Amino acid sequence: MARSQNHASFPAYRPRRLRAQPALRDMVRENTLTPADLIWPVFVMDGQDDAHPIASMPGVSRHTVDRLPALAAKARSLGIPAICIFPYTNPAFKTQDCAEAWNPDNLSNRAIKAIKSAVPDIMVMTDIALDPYNINGQDGIVRAGEIVNDETVAALVKMGESQAQSGADILGPSDMMDGRIAALRGMLEQKGFQNVNILSYSAKYASGFYGPFRDAVGAASVLIGDKNTYQMDPANSNEAMRMIARDLSEGADLVMVKPGMPYLDICQRAKAEFQVPTFAYQVSGEYAMLKAAAQNGWLDGRQVMLESLMAFKRAGCDGVLTYFAPEVAEILLRKL
Ligand code: PBG
């Protein structure tokens, strides 16, 4: 972007003049954060009228399906446009072929139906990856120690179809297999789900920041090996642009960079190069770091929550998946 150097020099130019009072700062602020920028990831578990706190994510719990309508109604009333469902799958349902992933009555699909029937005007986003259903904890099907691509894509398509059938508004493939966006888009067209959106986890890195999430969905203890043969090398930036271009060409409507805060350079580059709806995932480890430091009194929790989310907007993101969504939406609404 070209910058015009047309200001005077000191003392005629005193930049502090524009910062001198709150009303003026409000008036010249370049970016805004609103509840409409937030997607709220929610963990779901079996059971009735129950919640289970996640130790490594203070303030976040898994909830039973019957509690989701109230949570969704609250989120919508706060102006949050979308909830993203992550299931804690009963270990007994984890298999080599991951068939629970496309069971029309699996936990995730029951959650979608419960929310959409009670609060139709909130959007439900899903996660498409096999890790909650895989005995190996991997996002793809494992054959002789290898995460096999094409067979996984076929499974992901069945999974996506069951989610669309359950009423999902946005499918979120987080698996990083090759060819999955084209396959999912083809299925959606063919099965009459022309209006279902795909928010592709296009630039998803093999990150240590997912640790608390894997606790939350019960995948940490079962994961055999790492995810480095499909998730991206944190050293790469050009590759992220290739992944985004590829996913857009295959029919993604929205794209995502994940994790968020350590990858703001990727967010900024993505928005500048593609000018499409661009999202970041402020992942579990980022949430845990900020919460833990706040609990210790080392950081002002409220200030860093707001600052971290504004940083995504400044970098060019249209929105953020964040576990802070309801907490921050309440603060933002009170400020209006
Ligand atoms: C599943 C998935 C993961 C996250 C979202 N979807 C974990 C992983 O890839 O291991 C991480 C989210 C977070 O850390 O908050 N594929």
Side-chain angles (χ1 to χ4, degrees), residues 48-65:
Q48 271 187 337
D49 194 19
D50 201 4
H52 180 90
I54 295 150
S56 51
M57 301 180 73
V60 174
S61 294
R62 300 174 197 133
H63 303 274
T64 52
V65 171

Side-chain angles (χ1 to χ4, degrees), residues 73 218 225 258 325:
K258 177 184 176 194

Side-chain angles (χ1 to χ4, degrees), residues 8-308:
S9 51
F10 181 82
Y13 181 49
R14 287 183 183 270
R16 289 186 57 194
R17 233 181 264 129
L18 280 177
R19 303 179 203 132
Q21 51 173 314
L24 193 48
R25 291 196 295 272
D26 286 350
M27 198 168 78
V28 300
R29 185 164 298 123
E30 296 176 37
N31 293 287
T32 53
L33 178 68
T34 77
D37 300 324
L38 309 172
I39 298 177
W40 183 25
V42 174
F43 298 112
V44 188
M45 65 176 188
D46 278 315
Q48 271 187 337
D49 194 19
D50 201 4
H52 180 90
I54 295 150
S56 51
M57 301 180 73
V60 174
S61 294
R62 300 174 197 133
H63 303 274
T64 52
V65 171
D66 53 357
R67 286 196 176 187
L68 297 180
L71 293 172
K74 169 99 188 298
R76 192 66 197 117
S77 75
L78 290 170
I80 294 170
I83 282 188
C84 186
I85 299 294
F86 291 101
Y88 176 89
T89 302
N90 180 339
F93 297 156
K94 296 184 194 230
T95 58
Q96 202 93 40
D97 68 359
C98 311
E100 180 66 7
W102 52 93
N103 173 355
D105 289 318
N106 71 19
L107 187 55
S108 170
N109 288 332
R110 279 184 278 127
I112 299 168
K113 288 175 227 167
I115 295 172
K116 288 308 288 187
S117 62
V119 191
D121 62 336
I122 197 159
M123 290 184 292
V124 176
M125 176 175 164
T126 64
D127 189 66
I128 298 187
L130 300 177
D131 50 335
Y133 312 99
N134 195 339
I135 200 145
N136 300 287
Q138 292 285 354
D139 292 12
I141 290 172
V142 183
R143 297 264 177 240
E146 188 190 335
I147 290 101
V148 291
N149 193 86
D150 300 9
E151 195 181 340
T152 298
V153 170
L156 298 173
V157 167
K158 288 191 267 183
M159 183 178 185
E161 185 178 347
S162 78
Q163 294 171 347
Q165 204 81 54
S166 302
D169 301 284
I170 304 172
L171 304 186
S174 70
D175 53 283
M176 288 300 275
M177 296 299 122
D178 292 326
R180 89 264 210 226
I181 302 300
L184 285 166
R185 178 55 71 205
M187 174 277 295
L188 291 172
E189 282 296 314
Q190 206 192 340
K191 304 284 178 169
F193 299 114
Q194 286 83 358
N195 289 328
V196 171
N197 280 271
I198 298 177
L199 198 180
S200 181
Y201 288 62
S202 298
K204 177 171 178 177
Y205 288 86
S207 172
F209 289 99
Y210 308 148
F213 172 96
R214 291 179 191 169
D215 291 337
V217 299
S221 53
V222 295
L223 180 62
I224 299 169
D226 57 44
K227 301 192 175 185
N228 296 346
T229 67
Y230 46 105
Q231 298 181 350
M232 282 177 50
D233 183 338
N236 296 352
S237 172
N238 294 330
E239 187 187 8
M241 300 306 111
R242 292 201 297 276
M243 293 303 95
I244 292 170
R246 189 264 317 257
D247 287 359
L248 290 169
S249 77
E250 292 186 10
D253 305 284
L254 319 98
V255 296
M256 192 203 295
V257 174
K258 177 184 176 194
M261 251 172 34
Y263 296 83
L264 286 179
D265 58 323
I266 307 298
C267 297
Q268 184 173 37
R269 226 185 129 181
K271 189 62 176 187
E273 292 193 20
F274 298 100
Q275 286 127 37
V276 299
T278 303
F279 289 73
Y281 198 142
Q282 184 179 50
V283 299
S284 56
E286 302 175 59
Y287 175 89
M289 286 194 302
L290 298 181
K291 276 286 179 194
Q295 281 186 341
N296 277 308
W298 297 338
L299 289 174
D300 177 331
R302 181 187 154 127
Q303 189 181 355
V304 294
M305 170 176 71
L306 288 162
E307 182 178 338
S308 66

